[in-house]
Amino acid sequence: MSHNVEAPDLDNIKVENDSHFEEWVEGKINPSMRKKVFPIMILAISMALFHVYTSAFGILEAWQQRSVTVSFVLLLVPFLFPFKHTSTPFARFIDAAYFLGAAVAIGYVFTAYPEITYREGEPNQADIFFGSLLVLLILEGTRRAVGKAMAILVSLLIAYVFLGKYVPGTLGHPGFTVEKAIDTYFNSTFGMFGLIMGAMSNYIIMFIIFGAFLSKSHAGQFFIKIAYALTGSKVGGPAKVAVLASGLMGMISGNAVSNVVTTGTLTIPLMKKVGYKGHFAGAVEAAASAGGQIMPPIMGAAAFIIASNLQLPYIQLCLFALVPGVLHFVAIYFMVHFEAKKHNLTGLPKDQLPNVKKVFKEGWFLFLPIILIIGMLVMGYSPQIAGVYSLVSIIVVSMFRRKTRMTWKQVIGSLEIGARNSVSIAIICAAAGILIGSINLTGLGMKFSSLVLGVTGENLLISLVFIMIASIILGMGMPTVSAYVILSVLGVPALVKLGVNPIAAHLFVFYFAIMSNLTPPVAVGAYAAAALAQSDPSKTGFTGLKISLGTFLIPFIFVYGPALLMQGSVPSIVLAVITAFIGIYSFTAGMQGFMLVRMTKMERAMAIIGALTLIIPGLWTDVLGIALFTLTGLIQYRNKKSNESQFHFTSAS
């Protein structure tokens, strides 16, 4: 199938939004909007400057640092996420009340510090009142910024703290007083200012700001051009561009929906033009973009929390997650390759695509900040210091070319964008702290683990499937951070009890929380892609699910064989990586029904069974899996030669 398709204008790719500050300085803001924009601009820039300053010159005492972060977030919520999109007197009153309540509660926190921390375990009436007010503000902020699902879940767990005596069976408990609950939420390591907010306040925000700066320096455009130069002319080129571009963009954004919107505006229309159906084009972009959260060096916010939970340096977690992250994109790449081969979908004309050497020559220096941040983390620098130096390096390297040069307006605008992008994640972390406080207070985590083990009979495979389904269900309509945090305290302990490596257990629930972006009926990433592809959202979601089935294998592979996570001897790691790549290739070919030529049902079954066999560690299972893969490949090679002979004979006749 051949189509006369022109490549897009890659020299004018827009991957970031202008900040309010830039629009304000340039006079682009409507006079009627200036009053609404001004507080957002001032609060966001102040929030970013505070975190850059403390990262550079020293983090404040834990409770104080975290409370400042929560303060900025709560003050920004009514401006960024108003009560209603339409401005009415009632909506304005609610927003004003929210802002006033946040300001009063924050005022108490700052004026009564450090006496509040001294009263841990014995809160006074003022602590209880203002702690309760903050809980309500965080719940409402979560509802606005994240959605009803997370807010309802946290509310139910708060109710469970007080009403546990009415819950029958093992999940019941005697119940707790308001004083005990608010003390846990407000003034403990398991509450709104707890360890998760610590990770957010100390370094996640810095990495989000880093991503905003990198985007402003035109790194996003450079990565997309590289993807077109490397894969645009290949079979099914635009789909492969989507996979590679989403992987590269994922390194700096760590956000699935953001990746869809950024790269999808270019790749989805081109995929449709070369012959891919709309729902398939959208599904490819959604599936590839989901990998942005699992692709080092800048993974999604949940990855920082995983590192904190495991008490590992973040860069070490990146190393452990590297091979599975690459495998995700390899699996999707194979899926689109076999689809393209099956339908003879061509790539884009080479003369319309940028030259690889020329693109690298024009933008190689944009890799330097990423290399610097990795290098500093490897050398043992704290994430805060690495983030600050890398942020400064972006400004410096942007000066290498006139096109990439950052102006003072863009520098300040990047601070604003970074802070604004962090608000929804920070409010999730605050709500997650309350959620974890409820779980720890009631012992629900241990009870849930016992329940899982009882239902599954302590069978590892059944437990993994059970927790996989729970991860996907919890992730529907809920950000990855929220879904991961919940399962990290509910599902991970059960897996660890069954002997699963703790790193593998945490990454297992993390992967499936990410995959919820693709699982209908609520598949946010797939819906965003469907809007760009003008396709049916549900059909796009189910197709994205099919395309990602290879990725669904990866967590099972590293649970049964932690060598894929760099755990073990060098020979075992090398063998695990090789067999994993073979397994993914075999599985995706079997699912698509095409390897070298179209496959029979028997060949597809052999390929899939061979791939599944390679999941189970052991010499004989590896030998069986590779044997089935080799046999399938030989049959495919024979069939291909046979088809070519028939074609030449027919042509000669």
Side-chain angles (χ1 to χ4, degrees):
M1 185 181 295
S2 179
H3 296 263
N4 185 19
V5 181
E6 292 184 2
D9 182 7
L10 299 177
D11 291 319
N12 293 295
I13 305 169
K14 186 175 179 62
V15 298
E16 81 282 333
N17 296 318
D18 289 335
S19 66
H20 291 317
F21 179 80
E22 290 174 84
E23 293 176 337
W24 182 286
V25 173
E26 294 169 4
K28 295 180 180 178
I29 297 179
N30 189 303
S32 62
M33 293 293 294
R34 291 174 75 87
K35 288 184 179 180
K36 293 182 179 180
V37 166
F38 185 75
I40 298 174
M41 186 173 69
I42 296 301
L43 285 169
I45 294 171
S46 300
M47 177 181 176
L49 287 173
F50 167 78
H51 288 92
V52 172
Y53 178 84
T54 54
S55 294
F57 299 104
I59 300 294
L60 304 180
E61 187 275 329
W63 200 88
Q64 193 177 18
Q65 174 83 17
R66 299 164 190 179
S67 64
V68 172
T69 302
V70 173
S71 300
F72 275 118
V73 168
L74 292 179
L75 292 174
L76 277 165
V77 162
F79 297 106
L80 293 177
F81 307 99
F83 182 70
K84 285 187 177 181
H85 294 297
T86 54
S87 181
T88 63
F90 178 71
R92 290 195 295 271
F93 171 77
I94 294 295
D95 287 335
Y98 187 99
F99 182 85
L100 181 62
V104 170
I106 290 161
Y108 174 75
V109 167
F110 290 148
T111 56
Y113 176 85
E115 287 80 8
I116 295 173
T117 57
Y118 297 154
R119 291 193 292 267
E120 184 177 354
E122 296 180 355
N124 62 21
Q125 290 302 309
D127 293 343
I128 294 169
F129 175 79
F130 287 106
S132 301
L133 177 59
L134 282 170
V135 169
L136 292 174
L137 290 169
I138 289 169
L139 284 174
E140 171 60 9
T142 302
R143 184 194 68 80
R144 295 187 186 198
V146 184
K148 294 179 181 178
M150 180 69 175
I152 291 171
L153 182 61
V154 177
S155 300
L156 289 173
L157 279 168
I158 292 173
Y160 174 64
V161 168
F162 301 117
L163 304 175
K165 60 184 177 182
Y166 300 109
V167 178
T170 56
L171 295 180
H173 63 84
F176 295 89
T177 63
V178 173
E179 290 80 2
K180 180 63 177 174
I182 297 302
D183 181 60
T184 300
Y185 300 148
F186 181 55
N187 199 11
S188 78
T189 56
F190 296 113
M192 62 184 75
F193 305 134
L195 297 176
I196 292 180
M197 182 52 68
M200 181 70 205
S201 181
N202 291 354
Y203 43 82
I204 294 176
I205 288 181
M206 270 306 301
F207 277 73
I208 295 173
I209 295 171
F210 173 80
F213 269 77
L214 206 55
S215 182
K216 277 289 182 186
S217 71
H218 296 269
Q221 292 95 322
F222 170 64
F223 291 155
I224 291 173
K225 287 179 75 172
I226 283 291
Y228 271 96
L230 290 173
T231 59
S233 62
K234 308 294 183 186
V235 173
K240 292 176 180 177
V241 168
V243 177
L244 183 56
S246 294
L248 292 170
M249 286 297 295
M251 292 194 305
I252 65 172
S253 73
N255 184 287
V257 177
S258 173
N259 275 9
V260 168
V261 175
T262 300
T263 60
T265 52
L266 295 173
T267 58
I268 289 175
L270 281 177
M271 280 189 267
K272 292 174 69 176
K273 286 180 181 178
V274 300
Y276 287 104
K277 294 181 180 178
H279 67 274
F280 188 88
V284 168
E285 184 58 55
S289 295
Q293 296 180 78
I294 54 178
M295 190 64 190
I298 303 176
M299 302 161 71
F304 291 89
I305 300 172
I306 295 173
S308 179
N309 286 340
L310 290 168
Q311 297 184 328
L312 289 172
Y314 174 71
I315 192 65
Q316 198 170 342
L317 180 70
C318 287
L319 176 64
F320 297 153
L322 178 60
V323 174
V326 172
L327 280 172
H328 167 80
F329 289 101
V330 167
I332 296 170
Y333 188 93
F334 285 153
M335 276 285 195
V336 299
H337 174 75
F338 293 137
E339 177 77 9
K341 293 288 285 185
K342 187 165 58 177
H343 297 291
N344 193 27
L345 303 178
T346 59
L348 300 169
K350 278 190 175 182
D351 59 357
Q352 294 182 17
L353 294 168
N355 180 271
V356 176
K357 291 182 180 179
K358 185 180 178 182
V359 174
F360 266 108
K361 185 177 179 181
E362 291 176 350
W364 63 269
F365 55 88
L366 294 172
F367 273 121
L368 294 178
I370 297 175
I371 295 170
L372 177 63
I373 202 168
I374 295 171
M376 291 188 70
L377 290 171
V378 169
M379 288 188 289
Y381 287 90
S382 69
Q384 298 96 311
I385 293 297
V388 170
Y389 275 93
S390 300
L391 192 149
V392 173
S393 75
I394 295 172
I395 301 172
V396 173
V397 301
S398 75
M399 302 298 173
F400 290 8
R401 296 281 189 276
R402 179 176 294 180
K403 184 177 180 180
T404 62
R405 193 169 297 157
M406 292 185 72
T407 65
W408 68 273
K409 292 181 291 186
Q410 289 178 317
V411 169
I412 298 175
S414 297
L415 292 171
E416 181 200 335
I417 292 171
R420 279 165 42 193
N421 290 346
S422 66
V423 168
S424 59
I425 300 174
I427 200 77
I428 290 170
C429 291
I434 297 172
L435 183 146
I436 289 176
S438 301
I439 291 172
N440 278 278
L441 196 60
T442 58
L444 181 61
M446 298 304 296
K447 293 174 182 177
F448 184 83
S449 296
S450 299
L451 183 65
V452 170
L453 296 176
V455 170
T456 62
E458 300 192 14
N459 180 284
L460 178 57
L461 179 59
I462 298 174
S463 297
L464 288 171
V465 173
F466 184 92
I467 292 171
M468 176 191 75
I469 295 169
S471 300
I472 292 172
I473 292 173
L474 280 173
M476 291 181 182
M478 197 178 291
T480 302
V481 175
S482 309
Y484 162 72
V485 167
I486 296 166
L487 267 298
S488 69
V489 292
L490 294 179
V492 167
L495 295 180
V496 173
K497 277 187 178 181
L498 290 171
V500 175
N501 180 294
I503 298 167
H506 280 274
L507 287 176
F508 183 89
V509 299
F510 177 45
Y511 264 63
F512 286 113
I514 291 170
M515 287 300 103
S516 65
N517 278 288
L518 300 169
T519 48
V522 184
V524 180
Y527 291 172
L532 294 174
Q534 297 180 329
S535 59
D536 178 74
S538 295
K539 195 172 183 179
T540 304
F542 281 114
T543 306
L545 190 62
K546 177 188 174 184
I547 291 171
S548 300
L549 283 176
T551 300
F552 274 65
L553 280 184
I554 296 169
F556 287 91
I557 295 173
F558 63 61
V559 164
Y560 281 102
L564 203 65
L565 302 175
M566 307 295 180
Q567 306 290 298
S569 63
V570 173
S572 66
I573 292 171
V574 171
L575 180 62
V577 171
I578 292 172
T579 55
F581 273 88
I582 293 172
I584 292 296
Y585 182 90
S586 184
F587 183 81
T588 52
M591 291 302 300
Q592 287 287 46
F594 191 99
M595 186 180 286
L596 301 176
V597 293
R598 288 185 180 270
M599 303 172 77
T600 64
K601 290 181 180 179
M602 179 60 71
E603 291 165 5
R604 294 181 70 173
M606 287 168 58
I608 292 172
I609 292 170
L612 295 176
T613 306
L614 288 169
I615 293 177
I616 306 169
L619 177 61
W620 292 112
T621 52
D622 286 347
V623 168
L624 176 60
I626 292 172
L628 286 171
F629 168 73
T630 304
L631 180 59
T632 307
L634 290 172
I635 295 171
Q636 281 280 290
Y637 180 76
R638 184 198 64 187
N639 292 343
K640 182 182 179 183
K641 287 295 182 183
S642 175
N643 290 349
E644 288 174 353
S645 298
Q646 291 178 11
F647 174 77
H648 290 309
F649 177 78
T650 305
S651 299
S653 301

